[in-house]
Amino acid sequence: ASVVGMPLVTFKDLCLDANDVPALEGFWARALHLDGEIFADDGSGVLRGDSPGRTMWINPVSEPREVKNRVHLDLVASSLDDFGGLERVPADGDLPWTTFLDPEGNQFCVFVGDKRPPGLKDVVVDSADAQAIASWWADAWGGTLVHDESGYSYIDDVPGAPVESFDFVPVPEPKTVKNRLHWDVTLEPGATVDDLVARGARLLAPPSDDARWTVMADPEGNEFCVFEPS
C-alpha cells in the first residue's frame, strides 16, 4: 500500500443517468437507504444521506442503456430478499456477491451481512489498465492505494467518499459509450482544471450558464465533473 502526495480534488458525490427518473429515484433510495426528492423544474432527482458525500444525483437522459456498466456500485444488505423481483445476473462460480439489474438494467452487486451498515459499499470501475488508472485517481484525490496480486487495484480511505473503496478491475472490452454512473469532485484550494489536464485528464465541456461545473474525462475516458471550491 502507498499513500500519495498532494491531491488536486476531493470526492463530492455520485451521479446516475436515468430514462425514468422516478423509477430509479425510488429504487435507489430504498437500496442505498437514502432520502429521495424529485425536482419539478427539470425532472431530475437527488438522494441524500447524513453527510454531503452520501448524495447521488439522478439526471434525466434520452439515450437508453446499451452496454454493460463500466462503473457500478457494490451494496451491503441484511438479506437478498430486499431485491426480490429484480433480475439476477448468473455468476461464474461461487462468488461472495450476487449481481442484480436495477429497473433500467444497471448492474450492481450485493454482499450480505458485511460489517458495514446496509447501503453503499464500493464503487467499481472496469479498466483497461487497472493499476495505472487506480494510481491516477489516488494521485488526484489521495487515499491509500493497493495493487492486489490478483490483478485488480483499489483505493481505500478516499477523503469524503462514503465507500469502503474504489475498486479498479481489469476487463478486456474497451469503453465505448458515456458511463451511466459517474462521480463529481471539488477542486482543492489552489488547484485548477489545468492541473488535471497536465496530469492527463481531458476537458469535455467547460462551465456554462446552465452548468457551473467542468466536464472532464480521466485517462481511460471515464467522465467526471469538476466543481470549484465553494
Side-chain angles (χ1 to χ4, degrees):
S2 58
V3 178
V4 190
M6 288 294 295
L8 293 177
V9 296
T10 305
F11 177 88
K12 182 177 181 292
D13 47 38
L14 294 169
C15 296
L16 179 66
D17 287 351
N19 300 131
D20 184 340
V21 170
L24 287 198
E25 181 267 346
F27 170 77
W28 283 105
R30 293 189 301 274
L32 296 174
H33 299 267
L34 300 175
D35 297 319
E37 178 185 359
I38 295 194
F39 299 104
D41 56 346
D42 64 357
S44 67
V46 66
L47 310 177
R48 300 185 200 273
D50 54 8
S51 66
R54 294 185 70 213
T55 302
M56 184 158 83
W57 300 93
I58 302 178
N59 301 320
V61 297
S62 56
E63 62 273 8
R65 196 198 67 84
E66 294 175 322
V67 300
K68 174 176 178 276
N69 291 70
R70 197 90 179 156
V71 180
H72 74 262
L73 300 180
D74 285 354
L75 275 56
V76 174
S78 52
S79 164
L80 292 181
D81 295 343
D82 298 347
F83 305 97
L86 290 180
E87 184 179 343
R88 291 195 191 195
V89 178
D92 294 329
D94 188 21
L95 299 173
W97 63 82
T98 304
T99 304
F100 292 94
L101 303 181
D102 81 0
E104 289 195 356
N106 298 296
Q107 297 90 3
F108 65 97
C109 300
V110 178
F111 293 75
V112 171
D114 192 83
K115 298 182 296 293
R116 291 175 66 89
L120 182 58
K121 180 179 186 290
D122 304 309
V123 175
V124 184
V125 186
D126 288 354
S127 309
D129 185 336
Q131 284 201 5
I133 196 62
S135 299
W136 192 88
W137 275 104
D139 195 40
W141 62 22
T144 305
L145 172 65
V146 179
H147 297 306
D148 190 87
E149 58 197 19
S150 67
Y152 82 104
S153 296
Y154 59 93
I155 311 170
D156 286 344
D157 309 315
V158 173
V163 297
E164 201 169 277
S165 65
F166 275 76
D167 300 339
F168 295 84
V169 180
V171 297
E173 64 273 8
K175 182 178 186 292
T176 55
V177 298
K178 177 176 179 275
N179 289 338
R180 299 294 276 191
L181 180 71
H182 72 265
W183 54 86
D184 296 338
V185 298
T186 303
L187 287 167
E188 287 285 346
T192 66
V193 165
D194 289 343
D195 293 331
L196 288 163
V197 172
R199 289 199 190 174
R202 281 188 298 124
L203 178 66
L204 299 181
S208 65
D209 292 340
D210 297 329
R212 57 188 176 85
W213 53 86
T214 303
V215 184
M216 304 193 76
D218 72 14
E220 288 212 354
N222 298 301
E223 298 85 5
F224 65 101
C225 296
V226 181
F227 289 73
E228 295 289 336
S230 55

